Amino acid sequence: MQKIYFWKPGFLALLLCLCVSTVLAQRVITGKVTSTADSTGLPGVTITMQGAQGGTVTDGNGRFSLQVPAGVQALSFSYLGYRPQTFTIGQQSNITVALEAASKGLNEVLVVGYGTQTRRDVTGTISSIKGADIQNLPVSDAAQALQGRASGVDIVRSNASPGSTPSIRIRGTGTINNAEPLVVIDGVPAGSINDVNPNDIASMEILKDASSSAIYGTRAANGVILITTKKGNYNEKLRASVNVYHGVSNAIRHIPLLTAPDLVMLKQERYTNDGVAIDPIWQDPYYAVQRTDWQKAILRSGQVTNADVSLRGGNATSNYMFSAGYYDEKGIVENSYFKRYSVRINSEHKLGKRFKVGENIQLTYKESWGFDTYSTQTGLLFSALRFNPAIPVHNEDGSYGSSKASNELGDINNPVFTSETSDGWDKNYRLLGNVYAELEIMEGLTLRGNYGFDGSIFNQYSFVPRVLDQTRTRAQAQLWNRSESNSSQLGEVFLTYNKLLAGKHRITATGGYSVQTQNGYFFRAESWGLNDESADQRVLDNGNDYRAINGNYNPESALASGFVRGFYGYKDKYLLTATFRADGSSRFPEGKRWGYFPAFSLGWRVSDETFFKENVPFVSNLKVTGGWGQLGNQNVDDFQYLAPITRNRQYSFGGEPYTGIWNSSLANPDITWEKAEMTNISMELGFLENRLNATITWFNKNTRDMLVPAPALDLHGTSGIPDRNIGQMSNRGLELELSYQGGNKDFTYNIAANASFIKNKVTRLYEEGTFIGSTEYGRQGAEISRTYEGQPIASFYGWKTGGVYQTQEQINRDPNIANDDRRGSIRPGDMIFLDVNGDGMVNENDRVYLGDPNPDVTYGIQAGASYKGFDLSLSFTGVAGVELYNADRMQGTDPTYPYNMYAEMLDRWHGEGTSNTVPLMTLDSDNQNNRVSDRFVENGSYFSLRNASLGYTIPAKLWGRSGISDIRVYVAAQNLFILTDYTGLSPILGYPNNNDGNRQRGVDVAAYPQARSFTFGATLNF
């Protein structure tokens, strides 16, 4: 018999009440999980409920939503590479949880351009530097702190004057043109890294290969640096931080020079060797008395002061971060300085559950002043190294000492006079920011719009007085004023889709459109002959003669782009990333404007395979990746497809002068992008639960269609020559990274090392035997560097030497000069130059490759430790396999000039067997002993302790002051030591001439020297 159940009304009502009460008892908890290091959202964090089943994971931005039953009071958060945390939710409905990194985790979040990715999913090559790693270093910009911290990144600062911007090369120099990487700050492409307060930086990602960089298309051939600044968190109480430090700096080394008595002795020896009467000035006992060390006279003790404050916090719907910074550096050269004032406001606001808006705004003001330290006519360091040491800084009557007494003392001015009487400043106002809106259309699908603005106003003032009592006189005072304004506007919109399907198919797709425009204006005026040179009278109106007044618009350009990137991961083991970008630039002619840049990369997480786990248990992580792609470079002069017309050209017809117009430059209607093609293979290894990590990467980067000036064979006249896409260049290398983190509760330590091995070669230029030259150096117009096909870019080029002739018999039987017309004028004590081509003569045909200024190896070592409040941080950097050309030594050992000389001239040849390296003292230049040769090529390898800091954090319980969570006091040093065989002021040499591109590197022209600094500071957290 079938049973029939009847539902009574009372029982049904009771059941409904239970269901309703259960639903009402549940609540929804939303929030975000971030990293304590940089407040970046962490995707894929596992969230479980204590005392109940179920949970969730965070999305790509670190956000989550979870239904929590009644009675659950705490949530557990776990994330690979981070310390697990339990959070008591109480009555809160929106929470923010910050996880602390336990080691270099595979789920570390990296900014990859138009989005983020976890490290475990990255198939390209990206180096990440956290803001905490470079905080409170005594540097004016973040680039200086990067050296040695990322493989494949080489940073050099030839001119170390305050506020100067270092040169950055990622995976070598890829073009003869501008090779600086693209810098993107909070999503806005910016021209420079030096405006950002280093203490505002949350992270810096360096995109090095094509797979990671191709999303930026035409501007990514030289690599990309993504800077993300700090932000506040939702539901975070107000937190404040104040940091101050002050320090002193001094020159690392001085060049050994001749003292006044030794200089007189050698000057007299010149005349004796040449058999002519000694000039009376060198027989005057006044000039045999040492009065001034001119290096010490202009290289003083510098100072640096920094102060910055930050506030951050948020509620359920908004977060914010405000910071203000002040940096003031007084250089080691008198009257050189750099100041920066910066203000930053970052905030984000939720407008409902799916829509948010935000902004990142940075305002900076920079002011600086420095001196010419390159010229061999008026350069300040050049003058200090050459000025006669018997001349006082000031005469007894208070006037400046001078070399006017004789031409034998040289035609340069007292360097202290130059530094103390020149006046000027450069002022730069810059606004860099973006506003954005983001809409979550549906779960996993987000639309984001971004508007960026980068605007700057540059003003320059320079004044030099009338000079009557120095060798280089100036009949009238001269005043320059210059003003320039530039702006760039960026508009972009893109969609991002992020979804995990069936628990094993992870898909992330990004696609969008971007437009960027640039324009500007400049004005310059010059006024001579101020009757009153008082400081408050130095204005253009008071000049008697106006000169060089000009102004115009800077070239206006635009870049339109479409881009798409897709990522697919199967079971998080098999990974694929594909990118495509199309860019159209107004810098190139119609039909040549659009460039198309594809890239793809594959990854295999071998350590996730069952067979690997079972057989290789000591390896906790193994990932193999490889990729290929094309990148572009548009960093060349604008509109070379046009032939500009310039007025006021002077002509002569029939002996009569006429004024007309002319084509100042020829046109190239076929000019287009430079392209870089890159192949990349990498292997990541982790041991001891990823406390020990290693990465090995091989890459091959080939630049083709490189733009180089190529004159036509029938070209006549003086018009400028446009570039043509005919060059090719190769950079191949290997990158190694190794890191280890260890310790216990009280004592933790970490050590990391990286090295890059890179070989550069120009693989195509014009034709065999042709080359691209560089700016000539010095008063003799010495050509030091040339770029030939088959050789590294900017190689040194000159004569080989074979010692010093000791006897006349040696000269008579020397096959190098058997057929040389100069043989009769060569004498014992002259340099031996080698006849390379074997024709018995030493001439231009015997100039050869002398060395490579591009380092074979760059490396860095970082070490840190902490123990019960004490912390120590050390950063070592170095290069190996690099040659430098000591051009200043070439000038400073030339006795034919009327200047002071290097102390090594005391070891000159003065008889048979006395020297085989330094020639005799002479006024004769027939043999050109100081021509460009391997005599001045030196080993430029070095190892330095670039940055070091030691600190102690005083906890609140010891401090005893309410409201202050902790105080950290510290001492730091920069350039503590540099170990090198190089004899110049510093082996850290880059590009001495900004107008010469990459055609010359590693040439020492006695530029502003590096300094060693010591700072003391404190950080207060509230």
Side-chain angles (χ1 to χ4, degrees), residues 143 172 421 466 507 540 669 695 805 936 966:
T421 59
R466 183 176 56 169
I507 299 173
L540 290 173
T695 303
Y805 290 111
F936 306 106
D966 59 66

Side-chain angles (χ1 to χ4, degrees), residues 423-465:
D423 181 26
W425 43 252
D426 296 340
K427 297 181 180 180
N428 194 311
Y429 306 82
R430 187 180 186 191
L431 174 64
L432 175 68
N434 71 314
V435 294
Y436 62 88
E438 186 173 293
L439 174 65
E440 185 181 10
I441 300 173
M442 53 182 284
E443 183 180 356
L445 181 62
T446 302
L447 174 66
R448 184 181 177 105
N450 182 47
Y451 169 78
F453 179 83
D454 184 3
S456 65
I457 299 175
F458 174 77
N459 293 319
Q460 185 180 61
Y461 157 83
S462 177
F463 171 82
V464 290

Side-chain angles (χ1 to χ4, degrees), residues 630-759:
Q630 290 183 341
L631 306 169
N633 180 29
Q634 66 158 1
N635 290 334
V636 296
D637 290 340
D638 292 296
F639 309 123
Q640 294 189 62
Y641 62 90
L642 301 175
I645 296 175
T646 304
R647 61 192 180 96
N648 296 329
R649 175 70 168 180
Q650 300 298 315
Y651 296 92
S652 177
F653 292 102
E656 295 293 327
Y658 293 90
T659 300
I661 60 174
W662 68 306
N663 287 118
S664 56
S665 178
L666 302 180
N668 176 11
D670 297 318
I671 190 170
T672 189
W673 312 96
E674 291 184 348
K675 299 178 182 66
E677 189 172 286
M678 188 182 300
T679 303
N680 193 86
I681 300 174
S682 183
M683 180 170 64
E684 297 178 14
L685 288 161
F687 306 89
L688 305 174
E689 296 182 350
N690 293 329
R691 293 194 300 275
L692 175 62
N693 294 276
T695 303
I696 305 171
T697 303
W698 173 86
F699 67 90
N700 183 12
K701 177 181 178 181
N702 290 293
T703 302
R704 58 186 178 87
D705 294 335
M706 185 172 67
L707 288 163
V708 296
L713 295 178
D714 59 348
L715 176 66
H716 299 281
T718 59
S719 295
I721 303 169
D723 293 329
R724 293 175 59 194
N725 298 95
I726 57 176
Q728 294 183 11
M729 187 180 297
S730 168
N731 284 279
R732 296 183 180 182
L734 188 69
E735 297 172 353
L736 304 175
E737 293 183 350
L738 186 68
S739 65
Y740 180 78
Q741 292 179 319
N744 51 43
K745 181 178 179 181
D746 292 329
F747 175 69
T748 61
Y749 62 93
N750 61 83
I751 185 169
N754 66 79
S756 307
F757 305 82
I758 300 176
K759 278 295 184 182

Side-chain angles (χ1 to χ4, degrees), residues 41 77 172 178 248 300 387 399 411 417 460 600 658 787 801 956 977:
F77 298 81
N178 187 335
V248 295
R300 62 172 188 177
F387 211 60
S399 62
D411 61 346
F417 164 82
Q460 185 180 61
F600 73 91
Y658 293 90
T787 296
T801 60
F977 65 76

